[in-house]
Amino acid sequence: KNEDGILPLSEKEKVAVIGAFAQVPRYQGGGSSHINSFKVEGALEFMEKLGNVTFSKGFEAESDLPDEELIARAAAAASAADKAVIFAGLPDSFESEGFDRRHMRLPACQNELIMRVCEVQPNTVVVLHNGSPVEMPWLGKVKAVVEAYLGGQAVGGAEADILYGKANPCGKLAETFPEKLEDNPSYLSYFGEKDKVEYREGIFVGYRYYDKKKMKVLFPFGHGLSYTEFEYSQPELSRSEMTDKDELKVSVKVKNVGKTAGKEVVQLYVAPPSDEVIRPVRELKGFEKIYLEPGEVKEVTFTLGKRAFSYWDCQLGDWRAPDGKYLIQLGSSSRDIRSAGEVLMCGGEVPAYQRKFGMNTTIGDLLRDDKAKAVFKEYADMFQMGQMPEDDSQMDEGSRQMMLAILDCMPLRNCMSFGTPNSDEKRLEELIRKLNEIK
């Protein structure tokens, strides 16, 4: 976040640097990822060289409880400055290998500190040291957020360069930041029961879930700001139609329309047709980082094959790219699509009769295949339907649509519950056998 262009800082401004992580940053993960670093750099030592800064600790790095004296000193320092930069984050006790996080909160002392500083200093920046997303109850009160993650032993110098504009930020989030823990797709089954944990979110992990539900998030997958702006052209597609044996080349031109040199991560998403199987709204299928001087234009090209359009068909036992129109979307995040094209996939459809039919096959699936529909009509009397709804001129439009909707979701096994004289288990088995014999 960079509201009102509060960043980069000016070397002439008086800046209150607050937070224990400004001196000794959390720069690596917990557990076996710990290493003995040669020299760990804190941002404070570099900021003191670049600008007019004061320092206040604000909190104890390994504590959760607010320290009123430390917070009061920090608030006083912030009120006397032009801007405040708070270095916050998660201690090892909150996230590490070997145990799962029970919540997504920062330590209470840090949340309290940020809130109190914002009360006296509207121009507040938060720099985060964390290995995974955190809730930000103060996001609407701070002007900027810099996500430093766990940046290694030289993180302090890098942070100072970003804050003062010596370097242009160009990172992108490789995960979605939800508003709260309960929004996470795995929330209801996260810890499981005793020795059993089920991954019930299926393919809807991360942005695939949040985008499908059109859920509000703090920051979407792929998001990341720059001190310049980039403009995307309409993509050029090498073909308008293709089969699952073809390749599609996608080219897009990106221009730096700002006054600062910078890097952009161009992201390509494929949005599949939505009328056959349950799939994400869009999926990332390619990305490339490019460096652009002010006014410079570069072309980025992606090559997409069958897998970019496919899902795993369990009955077929292979990847399958259904026929239909696919959107090719280019953007700066999963929710910042700048331009798009369209390609028609055709000739790769697997006929319905190659699938195995059974008691749980729905009538709707049969009616969508001409050969299966013809066989099914011979046995329609088992379902108390008489004529098919689309053939019955005596049925009013409302009743016809209602009957079609019922049939669409009705499994074949339901014919046994209708109790018609023609409902017979052997006859139903005969229908299924004939369906599976279709050539």
Side-chain angles (χ1 to χ4, degrees), residues 266-397:
V266 182
Q267 302 163 41
L268 184 149
Y269 296 86
V270 173
S274 58
D275 58 351
E276 181 179 331
V277 295
I278 298 172
R279 299 181 69 176
V281 173
R282 64 183 60 88
E283 292 181 282
L284 181 72
K285 296 300 179 180
F287 63 93
E288 185 172 335
K289 178 177 281 191
I290 55 174
Y291 175 83
L292 295 169
E293 293 287 346
E296 185 179 5
V297 179
K298 284 186 178 178
E299 185 174 76
V300 180
T301 300
F302 301 92
T303 301
L304 305 178
K306 174 183 176 180
R307 283 288 297 275
F309 304 91
S310 299
Y311 72 94
W312 181 259
D313 188 321
C314 293
Q315 291 184 335
L316 189 63
D318 198 0
W319 293 98
R320 181 180 172 207
D323 283 1
K325 293 180 180 179
Y326 292 77
L327 289 179
I328 309 299
Q329 302 175 328
L330 285 303
S332 194
S333 82
S334 73
R335 297 196 177 181
D336 185 8
I337 303 301
R338 305 289 181 86
S339 62
E342 186 177 88
V343 64
L344 176 64
M345 180 70 69
C346 52
E349 183 72 15
V350 177
Y353 58 79
Q354 289 190 11
R355 299 194 302 267
K356 184 177 180 180
F357 295 98
M359 290 288 189
N360 292 326
T361 299
T362 65
I363 296 176
D365 280 343
L366 301 183
L367 298 183
R368 279 185 283 272
D369 180 85
D370 291 339
K371 293 183 179 181
K373 179 179 178 179
V375 174
F376 174 71
K377 274 190 169 184
E378 301 175 17
Y379 296 82
D381 57 339
M382 289 194 296
F383 295 81
Q384 280 190 334
M385 292 182 299
Q387 289 181 296
M388 299 297 290
E390 63 266 36
D391 300 332
D392 194 340
S393 59
Q394 303 301 313
M395 187 179 292
D396 64 75
E397 181 62 19

Side-chain angles (χ1 to χ4, degrees), residues 90 94-95 101-107 111 130 132-138 175-187 190 210 218:
L90 297 176
F94 274 53
E95 62 171 1
R101 295 169 69 191
R102 294 280 174 174
H103 60 76
M104 286 176 53
R105 298 187 299 272
L106 286 174
N111 281 331
N130 49 304
S132 46
V134 294
E135 295 170 0
M136 303 182 196
W138 33 260
E175 58 196 338
T176 304
F177 274 48
E179 289 192 323
K180 57 185 183 298
L181 177 69
E182 290 80 4
D183 292 342
N184 194 284
S186 66
Y187 177 71
Y190 180 37
Y210 299 109
L218 288 183

